[in-house]
Amino acid sequence: MTDAPAAEKPAATGYQIFRTSESLSLDETAHMEVADITPDLEAGIGAALEAGFAEGNVVKTLFSQPGFSLTHAWFKSGFPLPLHTHNSDCLYYIVAGSLQLGTDTLGPGDGFFLDAGKAYRYTPGPDGVEVLEFRTQEDFDIKFLAKTLPAWQKISGVISERRSVWADEQPPSSVLS
């Protein structure tokens, strides 16, 4: 195999700078799509949004290009992250705060890797958690495994209980302050 002539090689881009302060929310970039929406799932997500789902998290796309994305997520204390999967490998690095993943408590400097399609959820600790999410795709899906209305009503109940606490919470790091 021979190398392509220099004129045919893609130009080196050098480097790109991104700034958290200028980053768009994940919703604004439309890089994540909800997969396999059923009427019950749609109703459940609607109920969670009405209860204050969006007030319990801030997710920003820091960098994306074909084949790679980096997001910064802040989940407030006790945020009920539903059981879900992504169609992309994901590497998570905890910047600040803590989370409970199964029987493990993870804190700053810890992280975890998930293969595409691996179901997971975690619970942010008492100060919430900030994570960097590295993915092997620019665009990816989220497939919620909680598909019944009762499951989403339980999630919405936790959101309703936590909503007033979230109003005064600050990120555990100074990145978003």
Side-chain angles (χ1 to χ4, degrees):
M1 188 160 118
T2 61
D3 287 332
E8 294 178 19
K9 288 184 180 178
T13 58
Y15 65 91
Q16 296 177 48
I17 293 174
F18 63 86
R19 299 183 190 283
T20 301
S21 62
E22 299 168 1
S23 298
L24 299 174
S25 74
L26 187 57
D27 291 338
E28 292 170 318
T29 65
H31 287 303
M32 185 173 70
E33 178 181 319
V34 178
D36 299 340
I37 297 179
T38 64
D40 278 355
L41 178 57
E42 187 171 17
I45 291 171
L49 288 169
E50 193 172 305
F53 188 88
E55 296 168 40
N57 69 95
V58 176
V59 182
K60 290 188 165 212
T61 300
L62 300 177
F63 180 81
S64 66
Q65 69 179 26
F68 187 83
S69 66
L70 173 61
T71 58
H72 177 273
W74 168 34
F75 292 102
K76 296 182 181 181
S77 65
F79 183 81
L81 188 65
L83 184 65
H84 67 281
T85 66
H86 297 289
N87 64 338
S88 171
D89 291 342
C90 302
L91 177 65
Y92 295 84
Y93 177 82
I94 299 165
V95 174
S98 64
L99 62 81
Q100 190 74 31
L101 178 66
T103 60
D104 293 305
T105 300
L106 305 177
D110 295 335
F112 58 98
F113 174 83
L114 295 165
D115 287 324
K118 173 68 177 159
Y120 77 105
R121 73 172 147 233
Y122 56 78
T123 304
D127 296 323
V129 68
E130 289 178 70
V131 297
L132 292 175
E133 303 175 348
F134 301 84
R135 289 195 177 81
T136 58
Q137 295 182 36
E138 178 177 30
D139 297 319
F140 54 93
D141 74 11
I142 184 168
K143 188 181 293 184
F144 291 111
L145 301 181
K147 296 196 181 281
T148 66
L149 212 41
W152 281 94
Q153 288 169 334
K154 183 176 178 182
I155 291 166
S156 296
V158 172
I159 292 168
S160 293
E161 291 172 10
R162 302 290 314 155
R163 192 176 196 177
S164 62
V165 174
W166 293 341
D168 296 325
E169 281 192 25
Q170 297 296 313
S173 79
S174 61
V175 173
L176 295 176
S177 297

